[in-house]
Amino acid sequence: MLSLARSENIDVIAEPIMDLGESGRQFEERRIEEIKQMARDKQFDVLILWIWSRFGRTLRESLQHLDTLMDYGVEVRAAKEDFDGKTTIGRFAIAQMLNIAELESNQKADSWRDTFERRRNKGLPPLQSRPVRVLPLRSCPKWEFGKKLETYPKCRNGILKDRFRMS
């Protein structure tokens, strides 16, 4: 993002606003309203995104927010996918990038829905962690001062508990 700002002589006036861990499918939980308020208050005139798919994963809602920002006089750019949103072909390219983001998001959602449905039909919980098994070892390491060993409580020889993921 900084490289685009430098190459276009855009002054960076604020730290990046990040929505880490928030879904791109919904804007309610994200900081778009804060960004729009800053645009309303004329605090900036160019918004630089990393890539278009990180702005939003729903075409209609993303375009509505972009239109609002543009109505406030803000130019929105993406550092890795830089299209001129003031031109017809640029707007088309932006819409295509957002459309692809929505497609990918919907495909992932379909895949998860199918997975949960398959598991439900088999009588399994939605997600399953792999079981842990305890393996007896033929020889146990010698006890050393200050070193803790976990042992099976009823074992005379002190069989070391070892946790392995079953495959």
Side-chain angles (χ1 to χ4, degrees), residues 6-139:
R6 271 188 238 115
S7 70
E8 298 287 325
N9 293 322
I10 299 170
D11 293 327
V12 178
I13 60 164
E15 290 294 315
I17 295 174
M18 294 188 229
D19 282 327
L20 298 176
E22 299 296 337
S23 170
R25 291 177 65 108
Q26 299 169 349
F27 283 91
E28 293 84 29
E29 302 285 324
R30 298 178 55 221
R31 297 176 66 187
I32 189 66
E33 291 305 321
E34 178 185 339
I35 293 168
K36 288 181 357 185
Q37 183 60 50
M38 291 168 64
R40 230 176 277 136
D41 296 342
K42 306 285 185 209
Q43 293 181 23
F44 65 93
D45 55 5
V46 179
L47 175 63
I48 301 176
L49 311 171
W50 177 48
I51 56 177
W52 286 103
S53 66
R54 300 310 307 153
F55 181 72
R57 304 257 170 121
T58 55
L59 178 63
R60 183 173 31 134
E61 223 177 329
S62 296
L63 290 176
Q64 287 171 345
H65 290 299
L66 287 173
D67 286 342
T68 300
L69 289 168
M70 290 175 64
D71 289 346
Y72 295 139
V74 173
E75 179 182 358
V76 183
R77 311 267 299 267
K80 299 285 183 188
E81 303 158 341
D82 193 24
F83 309 109
D84 186 354
K86 293 177 265 175
T87 67
T88 301
I89 200 71
R91 287 288 288 167
F92 173 79
I94 290 167
Q96 291 308 304
M97 298 309 291
L98 293 169
N99 203 13
I100 291 168
E102 182 177 47
L103 170 67
E104 289 174 343
S105 180
N106 288 343
Q107 286 175 321
K108 288 176 186 171
D110 291 346
S111 177
W112 277 110
R113 186 185 62 247
D114 293 345
T115 298
F116 290 144
E117 183 65 27
R118 259 192 319 278
R119 293 189 63 76
R120 190 172 26 259
N121 290 339
K122 290 181 179 181
L124 298 170
L127 294 176
Q128 176 181 2
S129 62
R130 295 182 175 186
V132 175
R133 63 182 173 169
V134 177
L135 299 176
L137 301 177
R138 293 199 186 273
S139 63

